[in-house]
Amino acid sequence: MARFLACSDIHNDVIAVRQLRAREANDYDAVIVAGDIGSGRPDEVFDILRSFECPVLYVFGNWDRRLERNRNFGADCHHLHLTPFSIGGLSLVGESIDGIDPDWEASLAAAAADRALACQAHLAEERAKLRTIIAAQAPERTIVVSHYRLTKTKTFLPGVPLFLFGHIHRFEDVTYRGQRFVNVSALNKKVMVSRKGERVKPGGYRYLNDGSYVVISHSEHAGFTVEPRRFDPDFSGWERIDGIFHSSATEVE
């Protein structure tokens, strides 16, 4: 049996990572982060995640453009970008995005007149590398981690049973053409609120973090099982404010 704690879309929210740590014990074989750690406070985030006393496996997302590809977050932290990591007879490998790859930056600089074509060419090259890496091992025992959901996987990554991703900020667990796609949700998901019966004054907005994550288990007999878990904050006494987000709002303790 292998157990993984997986999340995404932390968005620099160290408090949310502390909340996650307070809810979960040290009984996982790895922590997986499917991108959008945030370029603002990554060292604090990884300091907390390392306290799970297991490998921390991650890819970068669109919030991570200022993080260096080879930045060292600690001996137990492993960037999965085109780099497989083995746990419990499974291989985890990933794809990072958005400017953390020096080759990516060079290709954009060389083709400033047509960035779209440069992006397509670079993506095709990265996908070819990923396919070669997975084909050289056991695809049927591989988990692929990315920030965006990968497409056309039946063609370029046949045999891979499980894909983990984030970005969309909601839990999904969908099987398509024999391959399973799990959105591991958003650890940071701010819901704007005001006290019931009170008129909101300027500067008086608050929020509750309705973040979520997943627990993934694997055994030879049962295969993969996925359990979504939510912070599930107490909204009693609060009114949701839809369609509004104030970056200056403070979290309800």
Side-chain angles (χ1 to χ4, degrees):
M1 174 74 76
R3 297 184 77 236
F4 305 105
L5 178 64
C7 66
S8 71
D9 298 272
I10 296 170
H11 302 149
N12 299 310
D13 190 345
V14 174
I15 293 175
V17 184
R18 292 192 186 119
Q19 291 172 333
L20 171 68
R21 186 65 187 91
R23 291 168 59 95
E24 298 293 340
N26 291 2
D27 56 358
Y28 293 98
D29 295 291
V31 173
I32 302 170
V33 184
D36 273 12
I37 300 153
S39 301
R41 305 173 70 181
D43 293 310
E44 294 175 77
V45 168
F46 281 99
D47 282 347
I48 299 168
L49 296 180
R50 285 199 311 271
S51 72
F52 279 104
E53 299 179 0
C54 65
V56 180
L57 314 177
Y58 63 95
V59 296
F60 288 150
N62 52 290
W63 274 62
D64 307 319
R65 291 174 180 169
R66 290 187 285 118
L67 299 180
E68 302 88 352
R69 175 178 178 178
N70 297 320
R71 183 164 175 172
N72 185 0
F73 293 108
D76 290 331
C77 299
H78 304 275
H79 189 183
L80 291 176
H81 180 64
L82 303 180
T83 306
F85 191 91
S86 297
I87 295 178
L90 299 171
S91 177
L92 294 93
V93 64
E95 176 191 70
S96 282
I97 58 168
D98 290 328
I100 52 83
D101 187 338
D103 293 336
W104 167 267
E105 296 286 2
S107 67
L108 291 183
D114 199 333
R115 293 173 64 91
L117 284 179
C119 291
Q120 291 175 10
H122 182 74
L123 180 60
E125 183 180 349
E126 294 285 275
R127 295 287 167 85
K129 291 178 182 177
L130 185 62
R131 178 175 185 171
T132 299
I133 290 168
I134 293 175
Q137 37 194 26
E140 69 278 3
R141 302 187 65 82
T142 298
I143 300 172
V144 175
V145 184
S146 61
H147 185 57
Y148 299 144
R149 174 174 171 170
L150 300 184
T151 59
K152 300 181 179 179
T153 56
K154 196 69 174 178
T155 300
F156 87 97
L157 293 177
V160 174
L162 182 62
F163 296 83
L164 307 180
F165 64 104
H167 189 63
I168 305 177
H169 299 182
R170 66 175 181 270
F171 172 72
E172 288 183 352
D173 186 355
V174 177
T175 298
Y176 178 69
R177 299 180 68 182
Q179 295 180 308
R180 192 170 183 180
F181 299 84
V182 176
N183 185 329
V184 298
S185 307
L187 199 66
N188 162 256
K189 189 174 183 180
K190 293 180 173 65
V191 178
M192 301 297 297
V193 296
S194 63
R195 291 194 180 276
K196 286 185 176 179
E198 288 188 5
R199 183 176 179 179
V200 182
K201 298 179 181 179
Y205 288 97
R206 308 288 295 279
Y207 73 86
L208 290 168
N209 185 15
D210 196 16
S212 57
Y213 55 100
V214 302
V215 172
I216 301 168
S217 301
H218 177 267
S219 69
E220 296 298 331
H221 173 70
F224 291 101
T225 60
V226 177
E227 176 193 352
R229 296 185 179 181
R230 289 180 55 187
F231 287 163
D232 197 21
D234 182 7
F235 282 95
S236 61
W238 298 94
E239 297 278 1
R240 290 174 178 260
I241 305 174
D242 295 323
I244 295 176
F245 176 75
H246 285 261
S247 59
S248 60
T250 57
E251 185 171 2
V252 177
E253 296 182 3

